[in-house]
Amino acid sequence: MNQDKPREIRLALDAIPLGGKAEGKAGDNAVLFVRDADGVRAFQAKCPHLGAPLAKGEICGGRLYCPWHKAAFAVADGSLEEPPALEGLTRYPVRIEGGEAVATLTPEPAPARQARTPIATVLVVGTGAAAVACVTTLRRDGFSGTITMVGREDHPPYDRTKLSKQFLAKPTPAEKTLLEPDFAAAHRVERIEAEAIRIDPAACSVTLADGRLLSGDALLIATGSRAVVPDFDGRDLEGVMTLRSLDDAVRLSAAAERATRVVVIGAGFIGLEAAAFLTKRGLSVTVLAREETPFAKRFGEAVGAALKRYHAGNGVTFVTGEVARIAGTGSVEAVETADGARLPADLVLIGAGAAPETGIVAGAEPDETGGLPVGADLKLADKVWVAGDIAAFPERISGVTARIEHWRLAQQHGTHVARAILGATDAFAGTPFFWSNQGDKRLDYGGYAPDFERIILQGDPAALDFIAYYIRENRAVAACSIGRNPAFTAFLHLLGEGRVPSPEAIESGADLPALV
C-alpha cells in the first residue's frame, strides 16, 4: 500500500448483510461496516467502553448493542444512545467501488455542539457513575459553563464494576480501574476533594467539613452508597474488610497476597464475584450465607442452584448459617457461626449489602428503602436532581417505585439529569440492566421484577446456557440470561420500546430477535 495515500479497508458488499454488519480488516486496523437501506457506514470496530468486538453485538431497530455490556449506539451515525460507554463511535468515510465498500481510516470530525441554557454553574456531589455520566453528557452536548464536582475519595473517577472481578484475580495497579487518566482536565471540571456534611436543596448548596459553602445554578446529588457492616463481634479485627471503594479493593488485593483462607460473608453479587476471582488467585474461599441457594429470590431456584454448583465446581465452599462472631486476637483467625461451626480464616470479606448515603440531605425524608423519593423527572427540588443508588424513582416498565443499585442505571440517571439541565423535559425512561461476572460466566439481567409471580425458563440452567423471563401481572418485565445474547438483547430492546410479547407467546417460542 502506498504510504502517501490514506489507509483504507475494503470489504465485499456481499459480505455485509443488508440490515446487518461485518468487520473488515487491513493489517492491524479494523472497522465495522454497517449496511441498511440508506447505504453503508463504517465505525470503529471495538466498543469504547471496554473494547468488546462490536461485530459480535446485535442490531435491534436502529441501535447497535455491545455484546458484553449492552452499550447502545445509533446505527445511523454511531452516536451514543445508552451507557456504559460514555462516548459515541468514531465514524469513517465510506465509498463504494464496484462490489466493495471502502473505508478511509481518517475519522470523520464529530459534530460540534453548543448548548443554550440559562444555567451557568453546575454543582455535582459525588464522583461515581451518575456524577461522571452527567458531567460527560453535559460536555458532549456542548455545555460550556462551570462544573464543580465534590467527593471525598482522592482518586479520579473509576469503574466500580471492576473492583470485585478481574482486579482481585492477581495484583493489579489501581490505575487500571480509572475511567480516564485525568478526568477533571479532560472535561474541564473543578474537582474538590472534601467531605460534604450538609446538602441544602432549597438553597442549591453544599457545606463541606472544612466550613466551605458551595452553590450552583443546578445541583446533582449522587452521593451513592456505603458498605453495610453488621454489628458482628470482632468486626474491627485486622483482616476484616468490605469491598465498596477503590481503596477497599486495593487493601483487599494486598491482603490476598498474604492470605491463604478467605471467608466471604454474604452470597450476593459482590460476595460471589470476589469469591470466584480470589479462588482463581489460589486462595481457599468459603462463602457463608443465610440462604441455602444464592440468588433464589432474585432469579429463581433453578438459576441460583446452577450458579452455586458452578462456583462449587471451581473450588468455592458454601456454608449455610449466620455469623455468631469473628474470632481472633488482633487479627482475624476464624468466623464462628450460630450453630457452632468454626470457619478458619486469615481474611474475611463482609458482603452484607450497601446503604444509601442520604443523611446529609436537609429536608428530605428517605422512604422505607433508604432512598429519596423523586418523580419521573428525578427532581428533588427546583433545579435539584437525585441520581443513582439514592434515588427512589417510578420505574416505568414495572410501574413500581424502585431504588436500584446498578452501575448502568446510575449512568442513565446521570445522563437524564444532564439533558434536563440543558432544557429537556421528558420523564426518565431508561431500562434497567446489569451484568455480573460469575467467574468466567457473564450473567445479564434486564428489567425490574423484585416480586415476580412466575418464571418462563428456556435452555439449560445446569449448563449455564439459558434465558429466564420473569412474569408480573401477566407481563414479562425482566429477563436473566447466560449464553443467550441474541434473545436477551432483543428482549432488552423490546422492553424499552414496550413491545415485549405476551407470556403465552414467549412460552410458545416467540422469536424475539425477529421482532426488533
Side-chain angles (χ1 to χ4, degrees):
M1 183 181 291
N2 189 332
Q3 297 299 312
D4 294 331
K5 293 183 178 180
R7 294 172 299 161
E8 297 177 342
I9 293 179
R10 294 172 175 265
L11 190 64
L13 283 174
D14 289 347
I16 314 169
L18 186 63
K21 62 199 180 315
E23 185 175 271
K25 292 184 176 180
D28 294 333
N29 297 313
V31 299
L32 184 77
F33 289 99
V34 176
R35 183 183 180 197
D36 57 21
D38 294 325
V40 179
R41 291 170 294 285
F43 304 104
Q44 66 186 81
K46 293 184 177 181
C47 179
H49 174 223
L50 289 180
L54 292 173
K56 295 184 178 181
E58 306 294 332
I59 292 179
C60 298
R63 288 183 169 186
L64 169 64
Y65 285 88
C66 167
W68 292 355
H69 307 121
K70 308 301 177 283
F73 308 92
V75 170
D77 60 6
S79 58
L80 178 66
E81 297 215 342
E82 291 285 3
L86 293 174
E87 59 187 88
L89 301 178
T90 299
R91 185 173 177 179
Y92 299 98
V94 177
R95 68 181 188 276
I96 305 300
E97 284 189 356
E100 291 184 317
V102 184
T104 303
L105 296 184
T106 302
E108 293 186 356
R113 298 185 182 182
Q114 185 173 359
R116 295 182 179 180
T117 172
I119 292 174
T121 60
V122 176
L123 177 58
V124 178
V125 186
T127 57
V132 167
C134 180
V135 169
T136 304
T137 304
L138 283 170
R139 291 306 190 206
R140 188 177 65 241
D141 288 358
F143 179 70
S144 60
T146 300
I147 302 176
T148 302
M149 178 184 280
V150 179
R152 57 176 172 262
E153 294 190 68
D154 60 0
H155 303 287
Y158 55 87
D159 187 338
R160 194 184 305 276
T161 66
K162 294 181 178 180
L163 302 183
S164 55
K165 300 179 177 69
Q166 286 84 355
F167 185 87
L168 298 178
K170 61 182 180 180
T172 305
E175 293 75 21
K176 291 289 187 180
T177 70
L178 300 184
L179 296 172
E180 296 185 54
D182 194 340
F183 178 87
H187 298 280
R188 308 189 311 280
V189 172
E190 181 185 359
R191 174 72 169 89
I192 297 178
E193 181 189 331
E195 181 84 20
I197 60 172
R198 187 175 189 273
I199 299 173
D200 185 350
C204 221
S205 68
V206 178
T207 302
L208 307 182
D210 60 11
R212 281 180 289 173
L213 180 67
L214 307 176
S215 62
D217 298 328
L219 171 64
L220 170 60
I221 306 172
T223 46
S225 299
R226 66 183 182 280
V228 170
V229 181
D231 193 20
F232 299 138
D233 186 18
R235 68 178 187 171
D236 295 325
L237 291 170
E238 182 180 347
V240 178
M241 301 186 176
T242 58
L243 181 53
R244 184 70 189 172
S245 68
L246 179 53
D247 286 338
D248 288 343
V250 169
R251 285 191 293 268
L252 179 60
S253 184
E257 281 290 280
R258 306 182 296 272
T260 57
R261 297 172 298 185
V262 181
V263 171
V264 177
I265 299 174
F269 291 108
I270 297 296
L272 285 189
E273 287 182 352
F277 288 100
L278 290 171
T279 299
K280 282 178 175 286
R281 196 163 177 164
L283 280 70
S284 173
V285 180
T286 297
V287 174
L288 173 62
R290 294 178 178 179
E291 62 275 13
E292 176 68 27
T293 304
F295 303 134
K297 289 184 178 179
R298 180 183 285 264
F299 299 141
E301 187 71 27
V303 174
L307 288 169
K308 182 177 181 179
R309 285 193 298 271
Y310 170 74
H311 286 294
N314 287 330
V316 177
T317 299
F318 287 86
V319 174
T320 304
E322 297 188 21
V323 176
R325 73 183 189 112
I326 302 174
T329 303
S331 60
V332 65
E333 298 172 8
V335 176
E336 297 178 356
T337 70
D339 58 6
R342 181 179 173 87
L343 309 176
D346 39 27
L347 180 58
V348 171
L349 173 60
I350 298 176
E357 296 268 27
T358 57
I360 63 173
V361 183
E365 187 67 30
D367 68 4
E368 65 276 6
T369 71
L372 299 179
V374 292
D377 57 3
L378 305 184
K379 270 191 173 183
L380 187 65
D382 184 39
K383 294 186 175 57
V384 178
W385 290 266
V386 170
D389 291 4
I390 65 171
F393 69 101
E395 201 279 314
R396 177 178 59 89
I397 297 164
S398 65
V400 302
T401 296
R403 191 183 70 79
I404 301 175
E405 297 175 358
H406 296 174
W407 173 265
R408 180 179 182 264
L409 186 81
Q411 292 179 309
Q412 290 170 305
H413 278 179
T415 299
H416 173 88
V417 171
R419 290 172 178 162
I421 289 172
L422 297 180
T425 58
D426 53 320
F428 176 73
T431 304
F433 163 78
F434 73 86
W435 73 92
S436 175
N437 288 90
Q438 298 288 307
D440 293 329
K441 300 293 184 179
R442 190 191 75 245
L443 178 148
D444 292 330
Y445 181 91
Y448 184 66
D451 54 353
F452 61 87
E453 295 153 5
R454 66 186 182 99
I455 303 172
I456 299 172
L457 186 56
Q458 297 175 348
D460 185 2
L464 296 182
D465 179 16
F466 69 91
I467 184 167
Y469 300 95
Y470 299 90
I471 310 304
R472 181 179 184 272
E473 297 180 351
N474 202 36
R475 293 190 302 128
V477 295
C480 171
S481 175
I482 296 177
R484 299 290 179 103
N485 194 54
F488 177 84
T489 306
F491 173 83
L492 188 69
H493 183 81
L494 292 169
L495 194 65
E497 293 191 341
R499 296 196 295 118
V500 174
S502 69
E504 293 76 20
I506 292 173
E507 286 180 302
S508 297
D511 183 356
L512 270 61
L515 299 176
V516 298

